[in-house]
Amino acid sequence: MSNESIHQLAEKHKKFMEKVDIFPYKYKNSVATYEMAHFYRLSANLYGSFLYSPYHLSYEEVKDVFYSFILLDEYMKNKISKLNDYASMDYTDSYYGFREDLKNTLLKDERFEPVLAEIESIIKSIDFVEESFAKNTMKYDEYQKIISQIKAEGIATEFQLKEMRRILGMCHVIEFEHTLEQKKLLDPLKELYTFMKQNQLADGDLKTIFQKAHILLYDKSVIELDNSLKRFGGADENSALSYEELVEKFINMYEKDFFKALNEDFIKRRVRNPSVQKAK
């Protein structure tokens, strides 16, 4: 049976009323190249049972291959597309337009000398946010290239899976950092807004700038920045981590539910390779 194809093995292990899908991509690590069959009933939800080739894998090999295929399946669903959609939004009328107003009008107006440092801080923060979005888009393109290569060749390597996981972690680091920068922007923005209001610098050519400052300060999404930061585990906690530790943290946060639900007990109940059956 060890020399049989995954299709032949699947047919021998398929039970009455079951359907079987062969995972469309092989998985290759430094040891071997693997294939996976997924057995399920049409009335059932989520995961059914699994079979892997080579057939006579050790139990430890099965566990490693099982999680590799589960993660590969998830990452091939383009899980960072939402991050790219967010980074690709047009912020010309909000952040970027406001930044140009600050550069072209307020920095040239002597009346704003008392809040010059605040204006420059706001501009710097908006520059950071724009650069973060560009980085996210670049990482998304790298991710897409890996997916395209896997689809074209019909096989994913251990390195490619590791890279997809790392890119997702890096994108979340970028998102966390620019969210933190958006929060940092609020203090100097509030100082500028208050200065304009107290000194009656909110009319004429300055009215639009004043209105934009108000929107950026009190928009619902800005008010919810603290909740967004909590989603990343908290700014204080993350500031104590190195970049690589932060990347690893966000990978683990994304994947923890898979490992929690699909634990070793699940593997023993659902994988049909002989080493797993013996391990029960």
Side-chain angles (χ1 to χ4, degrees):
M1 189 177 284
S2 59
N3 293 323
E4 292 178 293
S5 70
I6 189 66
H7 297 273
Q8 293 171 317
L9 292 171
E11 283 301 315
K12 289 187 176 181
H13 282 270
K14 187 173 71 170
K15 297 179 180 179
F16 181 67
M17 295 292 289
E18 278 188 336
K19 299 289 184 181
V20 59
D21 285 337
I22 305 301
F23 191 67
Y25 313 110
K26 298 178 182 179
Y27 173 71
K28 181 180 180 181
N29 61 19
S30 59
V31 178
T33 298
Y34 308 90
E35 293 184 85
M36 180 180 77
H38 180 209
F39 305 92
Y40 62 98
R41 295 179 183 273
L42 293 178
S43 59
N45 295 322
L46 296 175
Y47 301 109
S49 297
F50 303 88
L51 181 72
Y52 301 96
S53 70
Y55 185 65
H56 291 291
L57 298 172
S58 70
Y59 178 56
E60 291 302 317
E61 284 180 295
V62 168
K63 287 195 294 183
D64 180 67
V65 173
F66 171 83
Y67 286 119
S68 295
F69 271 107
I70 291 296
L71 291 176
L72 179 60
D73 186 31
E74 289 298 322
Y75 280 94
M76 287 298 290
K77 294 173 183 175
N78 204 359
K79 289 296 183 178
I80 66 170
S81 60
K82 290 183 179 179
L83 293 177
N84 182 63
D85 291 342
Y86 179 57
S88 300
M89 290 174 65
D90 187 357
Y91 291 89
T92 303
D93 291 335
S94 53
Y95 281 116
Y96 306 152
F98 184 64
R99 176 184 58 190
E100 295 311 303
D101 289 338
L102 298 182
K103 287 181 177 180
N104 298 329
T105 303
L106 300 198
L107 285 182
K108 298 176 181 180
D109 192 326
E110 293 181 354
R111 293 174 294 176
F112 288 88
E113 186 70 26
V115 286
L116 181 62
E118 284 76 12
I119 294 171
E120 291 177 339
S121 177
I122 295 167
I123 292 171
K124 185 177 180 181
S125 289
I126 295 174
D127 287 344
F128 183 93
V129 170
E130 184 177 30
E131 290 167 3
S132 296
F133 288 149
K135 288 178 182 177
N136 226 331
T137 299
M138 181 179 69
K139 289 299 174 186
Y140 177 77
D141 290 341
E142 291 179 17
Y143 192 97
Q144 287 299 107
K145 287 180 181 178
I146 295 173
I147 288 180
S148 296
Q149 185 176 7
I150 292 172
K151 288 181 176 180
E153 298 178 357
I155 185 170
T157 65
E158 183 179 20
F159 176 77
Q160 287 172 319
L161 178 57
K162 185 181 294 185
E163 280 298 291
M164 286 194 289
R165 297 172 72 196
R166 179 170 170 76
I167 289 172
L168 179 131
M170 293 170 74
C171 284
H172 280 295
V173 171
I174 294 169
E175 186 185 15
F176 163 72
E177 289 178 341
H178 80 63
T179 302
L180 194 63
E181 194 69 27
Q182 285 177 287
K183 181 173 173 59
K184 176 183 173 183
L185 177 152
L186 296 180
D187 287 338
L189 181 59
K190 190 172 184 178
E191 290 291 328
L192 173 62
Y193 179 80
T194 302
F195 177 83
M196 294 180 74
K197 190 173 184 179
Q198 291 176 345
N199 291 276
Q200 298 181 340
L201 295 171
D203 296 322
D205 294 339
L206 300 176
K207 183 177 181 180
T208 300
I209 298 175
F210 182 76
Q211 290 174 336
K212 287 182 179 179
H214 182 275
I215 292 171
L216 289 175
L217 271 175
Y218 299 108
D219 182 76
K220 182 181 178 182
S221 63
V222 174
I223 296 172
E224 293 177 348
L225 282 174
D226 283 333
N227 290 333
S228 297
L229 289 171
K230 288 178 183 177
R231 180 166 57 88
F232 293 107
D236 292 338
E237 177 186 333
N238 291 338
S239 64
L241 301 176
S242 68
Y243 176 79
E244 291 300 329
E245 288 172 334
L246 204 52
V247 170
E248 190 65 25
K249 174 183 176 178
F250 290 141
I251 293 173
N252 292 335
M253 285 176 65
Y254 173 73
E255 296 178 355
K256 66 179 181 180
D257 290 338
F258 301 135
F259 291 100
K260 183 178 180 180
L262 309 177
N263 55 24
E264 194 164 344
D265 180 62
F266 180 94
I267 293 174
K268 290 179 179 179
R269 288 186 289 109
R270 300 296 185 91
V271 176
R272 296 178 181 176
N273 288 72
S275 63
V276 179
Q277 301 304 306
K278 292 177 183 177
K280 288 183 177 181

